[in-house]
Amino acid sequence: MRLVIMGPPGAGKGTQATVVATTLGVPHVSTGDLFRANVGEGTPLGLEAKRYMDAGEYVPDSVTNGMVRDRITQPDCHPGFLLDGYPRTLEQVNELDMMLAAASQSIDRVVELTVDTDEVVERLLKRAQEQGRADDTADVIRRRLEVYAEQTAPLTAVYAGRDLLVRVDGMGEVTEVTRRILSALAD
Ligand code: ADP
């Protein structure tokens, strides 16, 4: 199973992706987590990425694509993976297609988690208080939502056109949302 999970910041992608990947027995590949790990370790990639992340902007495709390529070509990703936070731009969609085509692979399904904007902002502000993530301030949250609407929301049309998109209601209890995702994937 090669899966992508999409949804606006605060939709609960990371939470759901962790559970779904474990249930399906595939690695959870989160670009946000990979960037944060690089920032934490102070790698050159982390130093580059941090400037963009702190402003709520996307890290340049050139940096992101290379990082994802390195990760999904690891042996543990050979049977499948769940991509969380990638692709986020049309260029990344094309790049991912090429990475997979090179190994005669393709994406099997794209899950879009839908939530309402007010709820999302509330969740992110709550997470800011609990975890203190640098990009969870009100201004940066607003910017991340704008960037998502401009650059990433259009990707759902691309995957819908390929008949790969499943929309899942992301509102409600975490376990209920997980159940919805797994049942949508089983269809
Ligand atoms: P969220 O979806 O809640 O914004 P993530 O943890 O997925 O959080 O991502 C945090 C930040 O990492 C993003 O705001 C962006 O700066 C960067 N990032 C993550 N994935 C990508 C990507 N595919 N392309 C560019 N930047 C990315």
Side-chain angles (χ1 to χ4, degrees):
M1 267 287 214
R2 290 182 192 85
L3 304 171
V4 172
I5 187 164
M6 293 184 50
K13 276 182 320 243
T15 307
Q16 294 299 333
T18 306
V19 183
V20 170
T22 305
T23 307
L24 299 177
V26 292
H28 169 208
V29 177
S30 156
T31 44
D33 288 352
L34 289 170
F35 282 132
R36 281 184 290 276
N38 276 280
V39 171
E41 290 161 17
T43 68
L45 188 148
L47 293 178
E48 163 91 6
K50 188 175 179 346
R51 302 191 276 140
Y52 298 95
M53 295 170 74
D54 286 354
E57 304 294 337
Y58 286 169
V59 178
D61 286 337
S62 53
V63 177
T64 309
N65 287 330
M67 181 179 75
V68 171
R69 181 190 300 274
D70 287 348
R71 180 65 192 90
I72 68 174
T73 50
Q74 298 292 312
D76 65 322
C77 284
H78 197 72
F81 49 75
L82 174 55
L83 273 178
D84 161 12
Y86 185 94
R88 263 174 150 116
T89 64
L90 286 170
E91 193 191 315
Q92 292 178 11
V93 170
N94 295 332
E95 193 64 32
L96 176 62
D97 285 342
M98 287 191 288
M99 287 179 215
L100 293 174
S104 306
Q105 297 171 347
S106 58
I107 292 296
D108 297 307
R109 215 63 86 77
V110 176
V111 175
E112 180 191 12
L113 272 186
T114 60
V115 281
D116 72 63
T117 312
D118 290 346
E119 165 85 19
V120 151
V121 173
E122 221 168 274
R123 283 187 192 176
L124 290 169
L125 288 171
K126 189 162 161 250
R127 183 169 78 185
Q129 285 173 348
E130 290 166 1
Q131 302 178 5
R133 237 176 75 167
D135 58 351
D136 276 345
T137 62
D139 282 352
V140 178
I141 288 170
R142 208 168 307 120
R143 182 64 194 144
R144 280 158 59 208
L145 287 167
E146 270 173 24
V147 174
Y148 182 84
E150 281 164 20
Q151 302 208 40
T152 305
L155 270 51
T156 58
V158 173
Y159 287 119
R162 295 184 194 175
D163 232 3
L164 295 179
L165 189 72
V166 284
R167 286 207 169 81
V168 175
D169 180 5
M171 306 294 291
E173 293 287 322
V174 170
T175 51
E176 173 55 22
V177 177
T178 308
R179 196 198 56 73
R180 286 180 203 141
I181 296 174
L182 291 172
S183 108
L185 290 175
D187 280 346

